[in-house]
Amino acid sequence: MDELNNDPAAETAEVETTETTDVADKATPDAEVEKWKALSRKWEDRAKNSAKELDEIKRASLTDAERALEDAKAAAKAEALAEFGGKLAEAELRTQAARAGVELPDSISRFVNVSALLDDSGQPNAAAISEFVSTLAPVTPAFPNVGVGPQNNGGGGVPQLTYDDIRRMSPYEIDKARVEGRLNALLGLQ
């Protein structure tokens, strides 16, 4: 019966279905991850919309007293978030900065509008905070370890001497320091 049906649109649809199946079979793991992320976001959006609709239905069925109580609760929550949201955002900012090796000044709230780091619900926006912290330079030590001198304990825990130390030493003291391993960094023995 298929032989009698010479519909070119049906043949094209069949070919396209076969091609998309072949492409889907060859999908890379990254494409697969992105596909599932997109589907997850889609379902999250649907869940949020459904929750909003449910809240609207519940609100419509409340009595005036219940509605006033709900309004008071919402106002109290908004006030608490307004009062403590900035402190929460600053705490999250300090946490992420410490993880990234960035040092923040004690009065960061004077320099940064921490309320801009809050999401619509008044909670700290981790993505915005992370983005901000990534723009800051990590702390570098004031005196970097260059491999010689007292900061280098490469000689088995023995402090190493510098050229300036040797200039002030007698030949006997220099030989003694060599035997003790305090010249290993200068001699390239590490």
Side-chain angles (χ1 to χ4, degrees):
M1 202 159 145
D2 288 334
E3 296 171 359
L4 297 177
N5 186 2
N6 292 330
D7 186 14
E11 290 177 20
T12 305
E14 185 177 319
V15 170
E16 288 177 6
T17 305
T18 305
E19 288 176 6
T20 56
T21 305
D22 292 342
V23 171
D25 291 341
K26 297 177 185 177
T28 63
D30 291 336
E32 192 71 18
V33 167
E34 290 303 317
K35 176 184 111 176
W36 286 106
K37 281 184 181 179
L39 288 172
S40 175
R41 287 186 197 108
K42 176 182 168 183
W43 285 105
E44 285 175 6
D45 290 341
R46 284 184 181 177
K48 286 178 185 177
N49 290 338
S50 296
K52 284 180 185 178
E53 289 176 14
L54 180 62
D55 287 341
E56 289 172 4
I57 292 169
K58 283 182 181 179
R59 181 144 175 89
S61 67
L62 294 177
T63 64
D64 289 338
E66 291 172 333
R67 200 170 295 139
L69 181 62
E70 291 296 321
D71 289 342
K73 284 181 185 178
K77 181 179 179 181
E79 184 179 328
L81 284 175
E83 184 177 344
F84 295 106
K87 292 178 183 178
L88 287 172
E90 186 174 344
E92 179 69 19
L93 177 64
R94 288 192 182 283
T95 301
Q96 287 194 24
R99 284 187 191 138
V102 176
E103 191 172 323
L104 298 175
D106 290 335
S107 57
I108 188 70
S109 59
R110 287 189 335 178
F111 305 111
V112 176
N113 180 9
V114 290
S115 63
L117 301 174
L118 299 174
D119 61 13
D120 295 337
S121 65
Q123 298 293 323
N125 185 343
I129 292 171
S130 178
E131 183 179 339
F132 173 72
V133 168
S134 69
T135 64
L136 303 174
V139 176
T140 56
F143 300 103
N145 185 350
V146 293
V148 295
Q151 74 270 10
N152 184 16
N153 291 330
V158 178
Q160 299 295 298
L161 298 174
T162 63
Y163 286 114
D164 290 334
D165 295 329
I166 294 173
R167 286 189 188 127
R168 291 179 262 141
M169 297 171 71
S170 70
Y172 173 76
E173 291 172 318
I174 293 173
D175 189 51
K176 183 179 175 189
R178 182 189 57 78
V179 170
E180 294 172 347
R182 296 189 306 157
L183 297 177
N184 288 352
L186 293 175
L187 297 174
L189 299 175
Q190 292 187 17

